[in-house]
Amino acid sequence: KAGVTQTPRYLIKTRGQQVTLSCSPISGHRSVSWYQQTPGQGLQFLFEYFSETQRNKGNFPGRFSGRQFSNSRSEMNVSTLELGDSALYLCASSGGGGTREKLFFGSGTQLSVL
Amino acid sequence: AQSVSQHNHHVILSEAASLELGCNYSYGGTVNLFWYVQYPGQHLQLLLKYFSGDPLVKGIKGFEAEFIKSKFSFNLRKPSVQWSDTAEYFCAVTTNSGYSTLTFGKGTMLLVSP
């Protein structure tokens, strides 16, 4: 069974640009969550999608958005990039998104904003 | 909302030393507790979890954690660490209210010297 796949693996952008990151969950998983990982802040929750609906949202500005498609694949978009958006963006999937479910993480997309 | 604090950002141990990583959470209700580990170059993976019952839980690779409700703690332990335990360890919590999302601590980087 293939794991969670995130593309691209690395991304370099300049301030003001926008970026789209992609996540393919484990087959059969319907919940996809996104996290931002930085050395100082650890993992911070961005949002969670379940069956194409955003079910939870973290405390990030509106520049961060996402969506989920009918095949459960998810995309995350960041508009008007700022230097502080440089981070590792992790995607995680689970079957139903229950509070006791194990999350399966992808390897992440390393975003550098110059 | 729940939060998690991990006491040590960096821990350095020699092989065969005993390990205890502290984790405290803040939430007044029922919680589900997790430890995730991120080995160098690998994705985050579940080490162990606690939902209810015996407060001492055992995970993979000889790790265990003890839930002490009165102290709001869920410390991770291992009697004898190995060089291969070098990794970053994250404590995390969900609650049983609604669609609670996984909230992580900032992580503890463990370096085991051979």
Side-chain angles (χ1 to χ4, degrees):
Chain A
K1 206 174 192 182
V4 178
T5 304
Q6 291 188 246
T7 56
R9 185 70 181 89
Y10 300 95
L11 210 47
I12 300 175
K13 292 286 186 179
T14 56
R15 280 182 301 174
Q17 288 187 309
Q18 76 165 27
V19 67
T20 299
L21 312 181
S22 179
C23 171
S24 293
I26 290 173
S27 178
H29 283 188
R30 296 167 65 191
S31 171
V32 173
S33 298
W34 288 89
Y35 288 84
Q36 181 194 66
Q37 184 178 12
T38 56
Q41 297 299 317
L43 284 95
Q44 293 186 286
F45 172 73
L46 281 154
F47 27 65
E48 185 221 356
Y49 286 87
F50 181 81
S51 293
E52 302 179 66
T53 300
Q54 187 181 86
R55 196 159 66 172
N56 269 304
K57 189 177 190 309
N59 191 26
F60 277 80
R63 300 186 296 108
F64 292 81
S65 62
R67 57 178 176 169
Q68 186 180 34
F69 302 95
S70 58
N71 62 357
S72 292
R73 189 177 73 85
S74 178
E75 287 183 347
M76 190 191 99
N77 185 275
V78 188
S79 63
T80 321
L81 283 166
E82 300 178 359
L83 296 179
D85 297 333
S86 295
L88 180 66
Y89 289 88
L90 293 172
C91 165
S93 75
S94 65
T99 58
R100 295 182 170 185
E101 287 194 42
K102 169 183 175 180
L103 294 188
F104 293 83
F105 284 84
S107 297
T109 294
Q110 183 67 54
L111 172 65
S112 297
V113 182
L114 307 178
Chain B
Q2 68 269 29
S3 65
V4 179
S5 64
Q6 293 182 239
H7 313 305
N8 310 99
H9 295 300
H10 294 90
V11 172
I12 301 174
L13 294 173
S14 299
E15 273 193 317
S18 64
L19 169 72
E20 181 160 4
L21 301 182
C23 170
N24 286 91
Y25 66 91
S26 67
Y27 186 75
T30 303
V31 293
N32 306 300
L33 296 156
F34 307 79
W35 276 96
Y36 279 81
V37 60
Q38 191 171 34
Y39 296 103
Q42 296 187 28
H43 55 266
L44 266 168
Q45 54 188 286
L46 183 68
L47 202 53
L48 49 77
K49 58 189 177 184
Y50 171 79
F51 300 150
S52 61
D54 188 344
L56 185 63
V57 293
K58 296 188 185 300
I60 59 173
K61 304 187 181 186
F63 285 91
E64 63 180 31
E66 184 176 13
F67 170 55
I68 302 180
K69 189 175 182 180
S70 61
K71 295 185 178 180
F72 297 87
S73 70
F74 190 56
N75 292 355
L76 181 70
R77 301 195 293 245
K78 187 172 184 179
S80 175
V81 295
Q82 302 173 311
W83 176 78
S84 58
D85 293 324
T86 293
E88 191 158 19
Y89 294 80
F90 294 90
C91 182
V93 63
T94 64
T95 72
N96 286 337
S97 64
Y99 298 116
S100 171
T101 57
L102 196 60
T103 300
F104 285 89
K106 293 187 178 181
T108 297
M109 185 66 222
L110 171 66
L111 177 62
V112 180
S113 57

